[in-house]
């Protein structure tokens, strides 16, 4: 259903309150949402995605009152981040209230919470009147969806309703910061950068992907194509394509050479703008993944600003042996 129709929002909110699943757009990627306080509905999300129970979900809210319904306490530095970045693509990990289902938090004593800025997401949560738990609306481990058709292609009848709000503006998942330790800790980079976070609250550490899961999207192998992927050694490097290999190239900017060994190419930003590249990243990976290639070669970018988020996603998409 078109997300621009208020009737669609009311219908989606009714489904959420009844324990159903609704896919909806956010500024980052499309989410698969349910009532965060309904354990049976949360279980349906895990079943639809085939998501392991040790991987927690993000709870989406619309205001500070709803925050108080799921979070037990908020440190001053977290409030400073909220004042600057909420609503927006920032998720904060905070101590949870006891009634938040353990399945939402993977049994942890903390919950990941964010306040999205997308008007459809805000309208849905407000109309439903409950916090909405929502991972990305795709089969577990696969490339995240950035348009409604990606959701339909990946989950089909597992979703009760898909709200079509067009392409997502940012295209990579939210930045996640844990606020429960001695220092704030960046757990997943996103479009809000580490330097922007430090400018607001001072020192903050960064922990790359690990097997010790403290928040959603931290698994070393995630956001992955079915086609094997190799990250090239440097920007502009030419892939070494083996005989008879059907190879695709994910380029950050317009290449300065033509390679006849490349069967398919996606250019994320002709000018090399990394925010534009991030916005197109997942859709481009999906298109290459659908070309019947033997391997995708991905050009790296500088790991500063949003480039840190792009390289985080590419490394977790890459074939482990590479």
């Amino acid at each position: 259903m078109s997300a621009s129709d208020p009737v669609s929002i009311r219908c989606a909110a009714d489904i959420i309150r009844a324990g159903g699943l609704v896919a909806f757009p956010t500024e980052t990627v499309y989410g698969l949402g349910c009532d965060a306080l309904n354990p049976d509905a949360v279980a349906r999300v895990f079943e639809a995605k085939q998501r392991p129970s040790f991987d927690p979900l993000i709870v989406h809210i619309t205001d500070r009152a709803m925050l108080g319904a799921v979070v037990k306490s908020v440190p001053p530095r977290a409030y400073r981040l909220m004042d600057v970045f909420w609503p927006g693509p920032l998720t904060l990990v905070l101590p949870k209230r006891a009634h938040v289902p353990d399945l939402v938090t993977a049994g942890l004593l903390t919950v990941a919470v964010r306040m999205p800025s997308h008007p459809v997401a805000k309208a849905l949560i407000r109309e439903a009147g409950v916090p909405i738990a929502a991972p990305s609306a795709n089969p577990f481990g696969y490339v995240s969806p950035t348009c409604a058709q990606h959701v339909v292609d990946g989950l089909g009848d597992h979703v009760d309703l898909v709200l079509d709000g067009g392409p997502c503006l940012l295209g990579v998942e939210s930045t996640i910061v844990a606020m429960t330790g001695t220092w704030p800790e960046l757990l997943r980079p996103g479009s809000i950068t580490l330097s922007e976070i430090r400018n607001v609250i001072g020192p903050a550490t960064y922990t790359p992907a690990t097997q010790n899961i403290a928040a959603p999207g931290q698994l070393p192998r995630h956001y992955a194509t079915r086609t094997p992927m190799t990250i090239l050694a440097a920007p502009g490097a030419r892939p070494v394509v083996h005989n008879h290999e059907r190879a695709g190239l994910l380029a950050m900017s317009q290449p300065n050479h033509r390679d006849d060994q490349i069967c398919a190419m996606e250019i994320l930003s002709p000018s090399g703008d990394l925010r534009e590249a991030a916005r197109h990243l997942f859709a481009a990976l999906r298109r290459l993944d659908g070309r019947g290639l033997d391997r995708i070669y991905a050009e790296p970018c500088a790991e500063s600003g949003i480039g840190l988020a792009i390289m985080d996603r590419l490394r977790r998409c890459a074939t482990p042996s590479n």
Side-chain angles (χ1 to χ4, degrees), residues 35-170:
D35 178 352
L37 302 181
N38 181 335
D40 292 336
V42 175
R44 283 195 63 199
V45 168
F46 279 83
E47 181 181 8
K49 284 178 59 72
Q50 293 297 293
R51 185 183 180 96
S53 60
F54 58 74
D55 198 9
L57 307 181
I58 293 176
V59 175
H60 296 67
I61 61 172
T62 53
D63 52 40
R64 298 285 177 93
M66 198 172 281
L67 174 68
V70 295
V71 167
K72 184 166 60 174
S73 62
V74 181
R77 282 180 292 198
Y79 277 123
R80 293 206 295 273
L81 289 174
M82 292 176 200
D83 289 341
V84 175
F85 298 117
W86 275 12
L90 176 67
T91 295
L92 298 176
V93 177
L94 297 162
K96 76 163 191 170
R97 289 199 178 276
H99 64 263
V100 176
D102 285 343
L103 190 55
V104 170
T105 65
L108 299 171
L109 298 178
T110 56
V111 61
V113 187
R114 91 175 182 98
M115 188 185 293
S117 63
H118 196 290
V120 174
K122 292 195 296 184
L124 174 60
I125 303 166
R126 189 178 303 112
E127 184 72 22
V130 295
I132 292 180
S136 56
N138 58 287
F140 177 74
Y142 190 57
V143 181
S144 297
T146 54
C147 70
Q149 189 60 50
H150 292 166
V151 180
V152 175
D153 292 344
L155 295 179
D157 293 339
H158 292 292
V159 186
D160 297 311
L161 175 66
V162 179
L163 287 173
D164 187 351
C168 296
L169 177 64
L170 299 177

Side-chain angles (χ1 to χ4, degrees), residues 17 20 63 67 70 75 98 117 119 208 239 246 256 286-287 304 320:
R17 286 192 297 269
D63 52 40
L67 174 68
V70 295
S117 63
R246 286 180 48 79
N256 55 17
R286 283 173 172 266
R287 287 192 293 270
S304 59

Side-chain angles (χ1 to χ4, degrees), residues 8 36 54 76 83 126 139 158 208 210 225-226 268:
S8 301
F54 58 74
D83 289 341
R126 189 178 303 112
H158 292 292
T210 174
T225 52
R226 297 181 179 92
L268 296 179

Side-chain angles (χ1 to χ4, degrees), residues 263-279:
C263 300
M265 181 167 61
E266 290 284 342
I267 300 170
L268 296 179
S269 171
S271 65
D273 182 293
L274 290 186
R275 290 204 171 267
E276 182 182 17
R279 185 164 65 248

